[in-house]
Amino acid sequence: MPAPGRYWVSEQARIAALLASGALPGGLVLERGLTARRGQSVFAARFDGAAAIIKSYAGESASTRAANAAKALSAAAERMTDPAFSVPSLLWAAPEHGLVVMARQSGTPMSALFAAEPALPERNRLLGLAAEWLLAFCEGQDTAPHFYPMGWIDRAVKGHDLAALPAEAARLHGALRAQMAHVRGLAFQRGGLHGDFVPDNLLVQGETVCGIDIQGSFTLPLLREVATFLVWLTFKTPQGALACGIGQQDEATLCAALDAGPEARPILHFFIGEQLLRRRLDVGASPCPTVLAIMIDNYLAAFATP
């Protein structure tokens, strides 16, 4: 991908050309680039005078991704009936141009609130809000009768030579395989989720939470979203005691808020290992970051094969 600045310029020129041609609504005004990553760019904009966000998708799948994002926003808005837990309102979409326009939300990213190292009561309040938003967003939650771990392991290492994995990744891979017999066939909660449940994507304003960066809805285990959140939180913010690679207090608080009892822990801990493996592989051949190395060592102390 081009450098973010160059990518914004090229996308801004493309959107300006579409506006000039009359292909986009006249009330749409582009303001400035915000982010550019993974084949997409995000712009601040105005739509009929109101603050808005334009999400522009690139590549062969741009139309599909834009259509999925628009569909996910519309569906979430219909089912999230509590105004305290929401997603941005869809204002307009043109999947044929890879564009989605949504209302710009106010609030503080939950990641910034955690980074401020709040006292335990406030930290627990934030975890509770995150849990409530996840349950409100989760579409058609039900109980699946059989968990199959091998597919998750295979997807985590897809494209990597197993014989050449970094040492930490190889040990995590072995630990996950060793857990297969303990989690295979267990019942688990699943629902329509978006696969990127992290504090960066939650905007907090008082007791309200808006989830952003909703790309689509996929049927996923609820516990994988929980593992993604906890691994992110442990990696990014100071922790007390670790257990199974993550902050012990945070796990207990979030699981209690989600009513996930001891029976949920085996699959949750499996997914924590899967998320740690993905993070280690993302580093590539570079040395493992210190915090991640500590998390991995702590996890392996609980789950490594003899």
Side-chain angles (χ1 to χ4, degrees):
M1 177 186 294
R6 291 174 56 198
Y7 188 73
W8 286 328
V9 169
S10 64
E11 279 298 286
Q12 184 169 1
R14 184 178 78 89
I15 295 171
L18 289 169
L19 281 166
S21 72
L24 306 184
L28 183 62
V29 179
L30 199 60
E31 292 185 336
R32 66 186 185 280
L34 297 176
T35 64
R37 62 181 175 88
R38 288 185 289 182
Q40 69 183 49
S41 56
V42 179
F43 296 90
R46 310 292 295 184
F47 188 77
D48 291 339
I53 291 289
I54 299 174
K55 187 164 287 188
S56 173
Y57 296 93
E60 294 181 358
S61 62
S63 295
T64 300
R65 294 176 68 195
N68 287 344
K71 181 179 178 181
L73 286 171
S74 296
E78 288 182 7
R79 68 178 178 269
M80 297 177 81
T81 56
D82 185 342
F85 305 103
S86 64
V87 297
S89 300
L90 176 66
L91 301 178
W92 180 81
E96 67 275 18
H97 299 303
L99 298 176
V100 176
V101 182
M102 63 197 78
R104 195 188 316 171
Q105 302 298 309
S106 58
T108 303
M110 189 176 283
S111 53
L113 299 176
F114 279 122
E117 300 185 36
L120 185 59
E122 174 62 7
R123 190 179 185 94
N124 289 345
R125 184 186 77 88
L126 293 173
L127 287 165
L129 288 175
E132 289 188 78
W133 182 90
L134 179 61
L135 291 174
F137 180 83
C138 185
E139 177 186 6
Q141 185 178 172
D142 66 359
T143 299
H146 301 292
F147 180 65
Y148 296 103
M150 193 67 228
W152 291 100
I153 299 173
D154 288 344
R155 284 188 288 273
V157 297
K158 185 177 180 180
H160 295 273
D161 181 357
L162 294 183
L165 293 179
E168 301 94 344
R171 294 176 66 202
L172 284 166
H173 184 257
L176 288 172
R177 290 184 63 87
Q179 292 176 64
M180 287 174 55
H182 303 290
V183 298
R184 185 189 296 115
L186 294 180
F188 64 97
Q189 295 297 112
R190 65 183 177 186
L193 299 161
H194 75 308
D196 199 15
F197 177 56
V198 295
D200 271 341
N201 290 337
L202 299 175
L203 297 180
V204 181
Q205 194 169 36
E207 295 299 313
T208 69
V209 180
C210 181
I212 59 174
D213 203 18
I214 307 301
Q215 305 301 318
S217 182
F218 313 92
T219 301
L220 296 171
L222 183 69
L223 292 172
R224 187 170 188 267
E225 296 284 68
V226 178
T228 299
F229 192 98
L230 289 170
V231 168
W232 188 102
L233 195 56
T234 304
F235 184 70
K236 297 282 190 177
T237 67
Q239 295 285 331
L242 298 186
C244 303
I246 56 173
Q248 189 172 14
Q249 180 64 46
D250 286 348
E251 178 188 354
T253 302
L254 191 57
C255 285
L258 292 167
D259 197 25
E263 71 284 353
R265 294 305 201 275
I267 293 179
L268 173 61
H269 292 158
F270 171 86
F271 277 127
I272 288 166
E274 181 247 1
Q275 287 293 297
L276 290 172
L277 175 57
R278 287 179 178 273
R279 279 188 174 268
R280 180 60 188 92
L281 290 174
D282 284 345
V283 175
S286 302
C288 189
T290 300
V291 173
L292 182 59
I294 291 171
M295 294 168 67
I296 290 172
D297 284 345
N298 184 268
Y299 184 85
L300 290 171
F303 296 108
T305 55

